[in-house]
Amino acid sequence: MIAFILFTVLAILPLFIYLRKPYFLGDLNYAFALIRIGMQLSKIRKSFSSILDSFLDKVQKHPQKTFLIFEENSYTYSQADKESNKVARALWTHAQLKEGDTAALLLGNEPQLVWVWLALAKLGCVASILNSNIRSKSLLHCFSCCEAKALIVGADLQEAVEEVLPALREQGIRVFLLSDHSDVEGIESLSDKFEKASDQPLSPQLRANINLKSPALYIYTSGTTGLPKAAVVNHESVWLASFLQAIAGVRSSDVLYLYLPLYHTAGLLMGLCGAINIGSPRQT
């Protein structure tokens, strides 16, 4: 009799809790998500891994899973990995970028921005992601903030760079255009170089000295109250921002529609990095 009463109580208890507190299960899932994130962060702090390592882990486990959908095209984790390997090798060979160097990116929200960002991470470099709308004095100011050795620019933004090219050359900044050729002195083509490069993985030793406190990104303010200001984002901050999707209950089977520019903190860290952490496709 006692056992019957006990089982009856246990059977109706979830219904009673739901009727009294309908958000209890949601709160419970949220608490479990925080616990999982806390355990993951503790593991990362004990044995460092970056968001790039999370991406490479997905490449190994799910190479044919969709990683990125852009307009009418989709790219798997394996394709993204190979494309970024080619870009990394081209930058390593022709721009002589190495661990600790900074490269600035002036690109729109196309897949090439993701390939270049991943490529820089594989070289242990810091990516300075510029607002594609800034020009002239503001553009030059961004370079002085981050001390970039190279600028990678989209073909559609070539004119913006040509305006400040003499000053960039004076500072010794090499400019690479995402195009098969360049007719402008001081601007080197890049697409033809990475198309000829190998897509084989790069050695992790190229980024062996990177740790949780190392800078990963420079992201700039909009400059509405003055010149743009650079926020230094280290690898720990990248991880913390990427956890937002997990907290919100996003699953690896979900597709994230990202309409924000990747030079924006929410677009890159919460959006792209969050999708990598979860393992879900990102659509732009």
Side-chain angles (χ1 to χ4, degrees):
M1 185 65 181
I2 295 177
F4 174 77
I5 294 174
L6 180 60
F7 281 119
T8 302
V9 170
L10 290 175
I12 65 172
L13 183 60
L15 178 61
F16 177 77
I17 293 175
Y18 176 77
L19 293 174
R20 293 294 302 270
K21 296 183 179 295
Y23 301 109
F24 175 76
L25 293 179
D27 292 342
L28 191 61
N29 286 332
Y30 177 78
F32 284 140
L34 290 181
I35 292 171
R36 287 193 296 269
I37 290 170
M39 294 172 63
Q40 183 181 357
L41 187 58
S42 177
K43 182 179 178 181
I44 292 168
R45 285 172 172 163
K46 289 180 180 178
S47 179
F48 171 70
S49 64
S50 67
I51 200 73
L52 171 65
D53 293 308
S54 179
F55 169 78
L56 294 175
D57 181 62
K58 307 299 189 302
V59 172
Q60 291 296 318
K61 292 180 178 178
H62 311 290
Q64 300 309 313
K65 183 177 181 179
T66 299
F67 168 64
L68 176 67
I69 302 169
F70 181 77
E71 296 180 345
E72 301 299 322
N73 300 311
S74 64
Y75 305 86
T76 65
Y77 275 90
S78 178
Q79 287 175 312
D81 181 47
K82 290 179 179 180
E83 288 298 318
S84 60
N85 286 342
K86 292 162 66 174
V87 176
R89 291 185 181 277
L91 292 174
W92 185 41
T93 302
H94 298 282
Q96 288 82 50
L97 291 177
K98 60 184 185 305
E99 185 181 65
D101 289 340
T102 299
L105 282 64
L106 187 63
L107 301 163
N109 254 26
E110 61 264 23
Q112 285 78 7
L113 173 55
V114 181
W115 310 159
V116 175
W117 171 68
L118 288 170
L120 292 174
K122 291 177 178 181
L123 294 174
C125 296
V126 183
S128 177
I129 303 182
L130 308 179
N131 186 325
S132 57
N133 297 303
I134 61 173
R135 298 292 185 271
S136 189
K137 184 179 179 181
S138 294
L139 183 57
L140 285 175
H141 172 74
C142 291
F143 285 104
S144 64
C145 289
C146 67
E147 299 180 349
K149 287 185 61 177
L151 167 64
I152 298 100
V153 59
D156 57 328
L157 294 168
Q158 180 176 342
E159 290 185 6
V161 174
E162 289 182 9
E163 294 177 9
V164 296
L165 188 58
L168 294 177
R169 297 183 67 180
E170 286 180 8
Q171 296 179 37
I173 297 171
R174 298 182 65 183
V175 180
F176 292 89
L177 185 70
L178 284 180
S179 176
D180 293 330
H181 67 280
S182 172
D183 299 325
V184 179
E185 184 179 356
I187 299 181
E188 306 172 54
S189 61
L190 182 62
S191 297
D192 57 324
K193 295 177 176 61
F194 69 69
E195 287 300 331
K196 297 176 182 177
S198 169
D199 63 5
Q200 292 303 300
L202 286 84
S203 171
Q205 289 302 311
L206 293 173
R207 49 189 174 91
N209 298 311
I210 302 299
N211 58 59
L212 206 58
K213 298 299 182 181
S214 298
L217 300 162
Y218 290 102
I219 294 184
Y220 293 83
T221 61
S222 61
T224 53
T225 58
L227 292 172
K229 303 169 185 65
V232 183
V233 182
N234 63 25
H235 286 276
E236 183 175 32
S237 297
V238 172
W239 273 118
L240 291 174
S242 73
F243 291 142
L244 180 64
Q245 290 192 39
I247 293 174
V250 179
R251 296 171 294 182
S252 61
S253 58
D254 294 332
V255 177
L256 172 70
Y257 178 71
L258 183 61
Y259 62 91
L260 293 169
L262 293 182
Y263 59 73
H264 194 287
T265 302
L268 181 63
L269 301 183
M270 300 176 188
L272 176 58
C273 293
I276 290 174
N277 181 39
I278 293 294
S280 60
R282 183 181 71 89
Q283 182 171 2
T284 60

mmCIF file of all heavy atoms in Angstrom, residues 238-262:
data_model
loop_
_atom_site.group_PDB
_atom_site.id
_atom_site.type_symbol
_atom_site.label_atom_id
_atom_site.label_comp_id
_atom_site.label_asym_id
_atom_site.label_seq_id
_atom_site.Cartn_x
_atom_site.Cartn_y
_atom_site.Cartn_z
ATOM 1 N N VAL A 238 36.375 34.876 -26.614
ATOM 2 C CA VAL A 238 35.741 34.230 -27.768
ATOM 3 C C VAL A 238 34.887 33.052 -27.302
ATOM 4 O O VAL A 238 33.728 32.897 -27.718
ATOM 5 C CB VAL A 238 36.802 33.752 -28.780
ATOM 6 C CG1 VAL A 238 36.148 32.911 -29.884
ATOM 7 C CG2 VAL A 238 37.537 34.933 -29.395
ATOM 8 N N TRP A 239 35.450 32.231 -26.413
ATOM 9 C CA TRP A 239 34.701 31.088 -25.887
ATOM 10 C C TRP A 239 33.455 31.540 -25.134
ATOM 11 O O TRP A 239 32.359 30.996 -25.338
ATOM 12 C CB TRP A 239 35.579 30.260 -24.955
ATOM 13 C CG TRP A 239 36.412 29.222 -25.623
ATOM 14 C CD1 TRP A 239 37.780 29.144 -25.656
ATOM 15 C CD2 TRP A 239 35.946 28.088 -26.356
ATOM 16 N NE1 TRP A 239 38.186 28.040 -26.364
ATOM 17 C CE2 TRP A 239 37.079 27.361 -26.803
ATOM 18 C CE3 TRP A 239 34.681 27.606 -26.675
ATOM 19 C CZ2 TRP A 239 36.979 26.194 -27.548
ATOM 20 C CZ3 TRP A 239 34.573 26.441 -27.429
ATOM 21 C CH2 TRP A 239 35.712 25.755 -27.857
ATOM 22 N N LEU A 240 33.604 32.526 -24.255
ATOM 23 C CA LEU A 240 32.476 32.975 -23.437
ATOM 24 C C LEU A 240 31.325 33.465 -24.308
ATOM 25 O O LEU A 240 30.160 33.177 -24.035
ATOM 26 C CB LEU A 240 32.941 34.066 -22.473
ATOM 27 C CG LEU A 240 33.891 33.613 -21.361
ATOM 28 C CD1 LEU A 240 34.400 34.822 -20.569
ATOM 29 C CD2 LEU A 240 33.212 32.625 -20.425
ATOM 30 N N ALA A 241 31.648 34.219 -25.361
ATOM 31 C CA ALA A 241 30.599 34.720 -26.256
ATOM 32 C C ALA A 241 29.965 33.583 -27.047
ATOM 33 O O ALA A 241 28.758 33.604 -27.324
ATOM 34 C CB ALA A 241 31.177 35.767 -27.207
ATOM 35 N N SER A 242 30.767 32.572 -27.392
ATOM 36 C CA SER A 242 30.248 31.476 -28.211
ATOM 37 C C SER A 242 29.263 30.593 -27.450
ATOM 38 O O SER A 242 28.490 29.849 -28.064
ATOM 39 C CB SER A 242 31.407 30.608 -28.732
ATOM 40 O OG SER A 242 31.967 29.822 -27.697
ATOM 41 N N PHE A 243 29.273 30.666 -26.128
ATOM 42 C CA PHE A 243 28.388 29.819 -25.323
ATOM 43 C C PHE A 243 26.935 30.298 -25.346
ATOM 44 O O PHE A 243 26.047 29.588 -24.868
ATOM 45 C CB PHE A 243 28.868 29.766 -23.870
ATOM 46 C CG PHE A 243 30.150 29.017 -23.676
ATOM 47 C CD1 PHE A 243 31.099 29.463 -22.772
ATOM 48 C CD2 PHE A 243 30.413 27.859 -24.385
ATOM 49 C CE1 PHE A 243 32.288 28.776 -22.581
ATOM 50 C CE2 PHE A 243 31.602 27.161 -24.212
ATOM 51 C CZ PHE A 243 32.544 27.617 -23.306
ATOM 52 N N LEU A 244 26.686 31.485 -25.866
ATOM 53 C CA LEU A 244 25.333 32.043 -25.823
ATOM 54 C C LEU A 244 24.319 31.129 -26.504
ATOM 55 O O LEU A 244 23.208 30.948 -26.013
ATOM 56 C CB LEU A 244 25.312 33.433 -26.473
ATOM 57 C CG LEU A 244 23.950 34.124 -26.497
ATOM 58 C CD1 LEU A 244 23.473 34.418 -25.079
ATOM 59 C CD2 LEU A 244 24.001 35.412 -27.313
ATOM 60 N N GLN A 245 24.703 30.549 -27.641
ATOM 61 C CA GLN A 245 23.763 29.679 -28.355
ATOM 62 C C GLN A 245 23.411 28.447 -27.530
ATOM 63 O O GLN A 245 22.261 28.000 -27.527
ATOM 64 C CB GLN A 245 24.346 29.273 -29.703
ATOM 65 C CG GLN A 245 24.414 30.413 -30.703
ATOM 66 C CD GLN A 245 24.720 29.918 -32.096
ATOM 67 O OE1 GLN A 245 24.220 28.873 -32.532
ATOM 68 N NE2 GLN A 245 25.541 30.654 -32.819
ATOM 69 N N ALA A 246 24.407 27.904 -26.840
ATOM 70 C CA ALA A 246 24.139 26.738 -25.993
ATOM 71 C C ALA A 246 23.189 27.108 -24.860
ATOM 72 O O ALA A 246 22.287 26.344 -24.515
ATOM 73 C CB ALA A 246 25.447 26.188 -25.431
ATOM 74 N N ILE A 247 23.381 28.287 -24.284
ATOM 75 C CA ILE A 247 22.493 28.758 -23.216
ATOM 76 C C ILE A 247 21.072 28.932 -23.740
ATOM 77 O O ILE A 247 20.097 28.636 -23.040
ATOM 78 C CB ILE A 247 23.028 30.082 -22.630
ATOM 79 C CG1 ILE A 247 24.352 29.835 -21.905
ATOM 80 C CG2 ILE A 247 22.013 30.712 -21.677
ATOM 81 C CD1 ILE A 247 25.031 31.118 -21.427
ATOM 82 N N ALA A 248 20.965 29.402 -24.991
ATOM 83 C CA ALA A 248 19.641 29.647 -25.584
ATOM 84 C C ALA A 248 18.969 28.363 -26.061
ATOM 85 O O ALA A 248 17.821 28.397 -26.517
ATOM 86 C CB ALA A 248 19.773 30.624 -26.745
ATOM 87 N N GLY A 249 19.663 27.233 -25.970
ATOM 88 C CA GLY A 249 19.059 25.960 -26.354
ATOM 89 C C GLY A 249 19.209 25.588 -27.813
ATOM 90 O O GLY A 249 18.523 24.682 -28.300
ATOM 91 N N VAL A 250 20.107 26.280 -28.533
ATOM 92 C CA VAL A 250 20.347 25.929 -29.938
ATOM 93 C C VAL A 250 21.022 24.563 -29.998
ATOM 94 O O VAL A 250 21.924 24.264 -29.220
ATOM 95 C CB VAL A 250 21.242 26.982 -30.619
ATOM 96 C CG1 VAL A 250 21.516 26.596 -32.073
ATOM 97 C CG2 VAL A 250 20.568 28.349 -30.570
ATOM 98 N N ARG A 251 20.587 23.728 -30.936
ATOM 99 C CA ARG A 251 21.128 22.379 -31.072
ATOM 100 C C ARG A 251 21.912 22.241 -32.372
ATOM 101 O O ARG A 251 21.763 23.066 -33.287
ATOM 102 C CB ARG A 251 19.989 21.360 -31.037
ATOM 103 C CG ARG A 251 19.236 21.335 -29.711
ATOM 104 C CD ARG A 251 17.994 20.486 -29.799
ATOM 105 N NE ARG A 251 17.016 21.073 -30.719
ATOM 106 C CZ ARG A 251 15.819 20.565 -30.965
ATOM 107 N NH1 ARG A 251 15.450 19.447 -30.353
ATOM 108 N NH2 ARG A 251 15.002 21.152 -31.815
ATOM 109 N N SER A 252 22.720 21.200 -32.462
ATOM 110 C CA SER A 252 23.582 21.014 -33.627
ATOM 111 C C SER A 252 22.783 20.758 -34.906
ATOM 112 O O SER A 252 23.302 20.940 -36.012
ATOM 113 C CB SER A 252 24.558 19.852 -33.386
ATOM 114 O OG SER A 252 23.853 18.649 -33.177
ATOM 115 N N SER A 253 21.540 20.356 -34.771
ATOM 116 C CA SER A 253 20.696 20.109 -35.945
ATOM 117 C C SER A 253 20.007 21.383 -36.437
ATOM 118 O O SER A 253 19.400 21.382 -37.514
ATOM 119 C CB SER A 253 19.644 19.051 -35.621
ATOM 120 O OG SER A 253 18.835 19.469 -34.520
ATOM 121 N N ASP A 254 20.091 22.445 -35.671
ATOM 122 C CA ASP A 254 19.462 23.707 -36.046
ATOM 123 C C ASP A 254 20.297 24.449 -37.089
ATOM 124 O O ASP A 254 21.516 24.253 -37.184
ATOM 125 C CB ASP A 254 19.275 24.606 -34.828
ATOM 126 C CG ASP A 254 18.290 24.037 -33.823
ATOM 127 O OD1 ASP A 254 17.381 23.292 -34.256
ATOM 128 O OD2 ASP A 254 18.422 24.315 -32.623
ATOM 129 N N VAL A 255 19.646 25.317 -37.851
ATOM 130 C CA VAL A 255 20.326 26.195 -38.799
ATOM 131 C C VAL A 255 20.205 27.620 -38.276
ATOM 132 O O VAL A 255 19.100 28.103 -38.016
ATOM 133 C CB VAL A 255 19.718 26.098 -40.216
ATOM 134 C CG1 VAL A 255 20.398 27.086 -41.159
ATOM 135 C CG2 VAL A 255 19.863 24.679 -40.757
ATOM 136 N N LEU A 256 21.334 28.286 -38.104
ATOM 137 C CA LEU A 256 21.347 29.659 -37.612
ATOM 138 C C LEU A 256 21.346 30.624 -38.784
ATOM 139 O O LEU A 256 22.234 30.583 -39.643
ATOM 140 C CB LEU A 256 22.593 29.896 -36.750
ATOM 141 C CG LEU A 256 22.832 31.348 -36.317
ATOM 142 C CD1 LEU A 256 21.784 31.776 -35.305
ATOM 143 C CD2 LEU A 256 24.232 31.521 -35.743
ATOM 144 N N TYR A 257 20.332 31.482 -38.848
ATOM 145 C CA TYR A 257 20.302 32.521 -39.876
ATOM 146 C C TYR A 257 20.985 33.761 -39.320
ATOM 147 O O TYR A 257 20.521 34.369 -38.359
ATOM 148 C CB TYR A 257 18.859 32.849 -40.279
ATOM 149 C CG TYR A 257 18.772 33.944 -41.311
ATOM 150 C CD1 TYR A 257 19.184 33.703 -42.624
ATOM 151 C CD2 TYR A 257 18.299 35.209 -40.988
ATOM 152 C CE1 TYR A 257 19.115 34.713 -43.577
ATOM 153 C CE2 TYR A 257 18.225 36.213 -41.933
ATOM 154 C CZ TYR A 257 18.642 35.960 -43.234
ATOM 155 O OH TYR A 257 18.585 36.952 -44.167
ATOM 156 N N LEU A 258 22.099 34.140 -39.917
ATOM 157 C CA LEU A 258 22.907 35.240 -39.418
ATOM 158 C C LEU A 258 22.865 36.393 -40.413
ATOM 159 O O LEU A 258 23.398 36.307 -41.516
ATOM 160 C CB LEU A 258 24.358 34.782 -39.203
ATOM 161 C CG LEU A 258 25.320 35.802 -38.619
ATOM 162 C CD1 LEU A 258 24.867 36.258 -37.246
ATOM 163 C CD2 LEU A 258 26.722 35.220 -38.535
ATOM 164 N N TYR A 259 22.222 37.476 -40.028
ATOM 165 C CA TYR A 259 22.115 38.625 -40.923
ATOM 166 C C TYR A 259 23.020 39.778 -40.492
ATOM 167 O O TYR A 259 23.075 40.821 -41.143
ATOM 168 C CB TYR A 259 20.662 39.114 -40.988
ATOM 169 C CG TYR A 259 20.115 39.600 -39.665
ATOM 170 C CD1 TYR A 259 20.225 40.938 -39.306
ATOM 171 C CD2 TYR A 259 19.498 38.728 -38.782
ATOM 172 C CE1 TYR A 259 19.730 41.387 -38.091
ATOM 173 C CE2 TYR A 259 19.008 39.165 -37.573
ATOM 174 C CZ TYR A 259 19.122 40.497 -37.235
ATOM 175 O OH TYR A 259 18.650 40.936 -36.031
ATOM 176 N N LEU A 260 23.757 39.589 -39.398
ATOM 177 C CA LEU A 260 24.658 40.626 -38.915
ATOM 178 C C LEU A 260 26.004 40.552 -39.630
ATOM 179 O O LEU A 260 26.459 39.476 -40.021
ATOM 180 C CB LEU A 260 24.887 40.466 -37.411
ATOM 181 C CG LEU A 260 23.687 40.723 -36.510
ATOM 182 C CD1 LEU A 260 23.990 40.262 -35.087
ATOM 183 C CD2 LEU A 260 23.330 42.198 -36.516
ATOM 184 N N PRO A 261 26.683 41.691 -39.806
ATOM 185 C CA PRO A 261 28.030 41.657 -40.400
ATOM 186 C C PRO A 261 29.014 40.984 -39.459
ATOM 187 O O PRO A 261 28.878 41.072 -38.235
ATOM 188 C CB PRO A 261 28.360 43.147 -40.594
ATOM 189 C CG PRO A 261 27.511 43.864 -39.593
ATOM 190 C CD PRO A 261 26.243 43.075 -39.483
ATOM 191 N N LEU A 262 30.010 40.321 -40.032
ATOM 192 C CA LEU A 262 30.970 39.592 -39.210
ATOM 193 C C LEU A 262 32.005 40.498 -38.570
ATOM 194 O O LEU A 262 32.805 40.027 -37.751
ATOM 195 C CB LEU A 262 31.655 38.501 -40.043
ATOM 196 C CG LEU A 262 30.745 37.361 -40.483
ATOM 197 C CD1 LEU A 262 31.532 36.317 -41.262
ATOM 198 C CD2 LEU A 262 30.050 36.712 -39.294
#
